[in-house]
Amino acid sequence: MKIQDTLIRIAFAAVLCSCESVQSLEGLVVDVHNVPLDSVLISDDLMNFRMRTDSLGRFRYMIMLPTTSRGIDTKFSFSKKGFIDHSQTIKVYRSTKVIVVMNRDTTE
């Protein structure tokens, strides 16, 4: 009976996984001189997810969508002290790559 229950669970998981696909966004945040920016706070308007860039200015964002989806427009906000806040709508597909450029805030 335990083997049968396990096989049913595996089959159910396979059906669930086949109905969704992973959409991912890999990005790099730099300043106008192409210098990577670490610790940039990034948030999205879809799931209110927050993350920060690593020491090399990189970030990765992943979401699960139905397999019929052809990407989803997601608005991202980027902020870091000493820089002007930046917002950008990005269409996230199965494997999307982007470079985001932030400008220094010269009013301080």
Side-chain angles (χ1 to χ4, degrees), residues 9-23:
R9 287 185 185 133
I10 291 170
F12 183 70
V15 169
L16 283 179
C17 290
S18 68
C19 296
E20 295 183 340
S21 66
V22 176
Q23 312 288 41

Side-chain angles (χ1 to χ4, degrees), residues 89-100:
T89 300
I90 302 168
K91 191 169 207 81
V92 180
Y93 291 98
R94 186 165 283 220
S95 180
T96 305
K97 297 185 191 264
V98 67
I99 296 175
V100 176

Side-chain angles (χ1 to χ4, degrees), residues 1-104:
M1 188 70 167
K2 288 183 180 182
I3 294 174
Q4 186 178 16
D5 288 342
T6 302
L7 290 174
I8 290 171
R9 287 185 185 133
I10 291 170
F12 183 70
V15 169
L16 283 179
C17 290
S18 68
C19 296
E20 295 183 340
S21 66
V22 176
Q23 312 288 41
S24 69
L25 171 67
E26 291 182 46
L28 175 65
V29 181
V30 297
D31 67 9
V32 294
H33 302 290
N34 233 12
V35 176
L37 298 175
D38 68 331
S39 301
V40 174
L41 178 62
I42 305 164
S43 59
D44 72 342
D45 69 346
L46 181 65
M47 298 184 305
N48 201 23
F49 184 75
R50 293 174 178 256
M51 66 192 123
R52 291 195 182 268
T53 56
D54 66 11
S55 62
L56 299 174
R58 300 175 300 193
F59 68 94
R60 185 176 176 122
Y61 174 85
M62 294 176 24
I63 54 176
M64 295 288 286
L65 295 173
T67 54
T68 57
S69 177
R70 298 182 190 260
I72 186 163
D73 287 331
T74 306
K75 183 176 181 181
F76 292 91
S77 299
F78 302 84
S79 62
K80 180 175 174 75
K81 186 173 181 170
F83 289 83
I84 299 170
D85 288 350
H86 176 77
S87 292
Q88 184 172 342
T89 300
I90 302 168
K91 191 169 207 81
V92 180
Y93 291 98
R94 186 165 283 220
S95 180
T96 305
K97 297 185 191 264
V98 67
I99 296 175
V100 176
V101 179
M102 293 184 69
N103 294 307
R104 285 205 176 272

